[in-house]
Amino acid sequence: MNQVVMVPYPGRGHINPMLNLCRLLSSRLNRHTRTTIFTVVVTEEWLGFLNPEPDQDSIRFTTIPNVLPSELNRGSDMVGFMTAVQTKMEGPFVEVLDQTEFPVKLIIADATMRWPFGVANRRNVPVAAYWPMSASSFSVVYHVDLLESHHQLFANVSGVISQLYFQLIP
């Protein structure tokens, strides 16, 4: 049995697209035999929001503790929330990997989080970056330094964006 671990950024615009990808991959890979299990890792709070379908035997959910500020009021301190995502989820995620039933053959992680890539590299597990937003939004974030150097931004955000998004592989 193969296991793919899916790690979405804890936000609806990231989790829902990753679940769609998970369903698509599961239906294609498991068309004739159930040989691949997809394990989606979310916080306990997010599992309560999702209400997963019980009839999907090849898609499982596992949780990490609520180490982040609640989704219900994260907008009051967005930078604090984003910082917590980058600093507090790795430890519980490693514990989940240590307790998996089947060997992890692949990790698919949201590209906005850098720590899953380090975890995968340390464990010698292949990792794929998943970007759930449009290519144009990726290009803007990826090239924010150029936009800033050409005075096309009205705020100095390059330090924050590069720290939070694009230090993917340590």
Side-chain angles (χ1 to χ4, degrees):
M1 189 72 66
N2 295 315
Q3 181 170 216
V4 176
V5 174
M6 313 285 282
V7 191
Y9 182 90
R12 189 163 306 279
H14 296 258
I15 292 174
N16 287 340
M18 189 170 279
L19 291 178
N20 289 335
L21 173 66
C22 193
R23 287 183 195 105
L24 177 69
L25 292 173
S26 175
S27 69
R28 297 223 175 151
L29 292 175
N30 293 324
R31 187 165 292 168
H32 303 293
T33 59
R34 299 280 177 215
T35 59
T36 303
I37 293 174
F38 293 86
T39 302
V40 182
V41 181
V42 294
T43 63
E44 293 167 350
E45 179 182 45
W46 265 107
L47 186 64
F49 294 149
L50 293 173
N51 195 19
E53 300 169 19
D55 61 337
Q56 296 178 332
D57 57 339
S58 63
I59 300 174
R60 300 177 180 178
F61 289 85
T62 190
T63 61
I64 62 169
N66 292 324
V67 294
L68 306 173
S70 174
E71 175 69 18
L72 301 175
N73 62 1
R74 75 176 180 168
S76 62
D77 182 14
M78 196 60 183
V79 172
F81 180 84
M82 294 169 80
T83 301
V85 167
Q86 298 297 353
T87 59
K88 296 185 177 185
M89 290 178 67
E90 180 177 354
F93 177 73
V94 167
E95 290 177 19
V96 164
L97 291 181
D98 289 342
Q99 298 170 1
T100 59
E101 184 178 353
F102 303 105
V104 177
K105 300 294 185 181
L106 174 67
I107 296 173
I108 299 176
D110 198 296
T112 59
M113 300 183 299
R114 65 181 178 257
W115 55 265
F117 300 88
V119 170
N121 287 337
R122 287 190 299 275
R123 289 176 173 258
N124 212 20
V125 174
V127 62
Y130 178 68
W131 182 265
M133 295 166 273
S134 70
S136 58
S137 70
F138 176 83
S139 182
V140 167
V141 173
Y142 189 76
H143 294 101
V144 73
D145 59 328
L146 292 174
L147 294 169
E148 194 171 54
S149 69
H150 289 95
H151 307 289
Q152 294 172 331
L153 289 177
F154 299 106
N156 180 358
V157 296
S158 62
V160 173
I161 289 179
S162 66
Q163 276 185 335
L164 295 175
Y165 287 111
F166 288 105
Q167 295 175 359
L168 299 179
I169 301 173

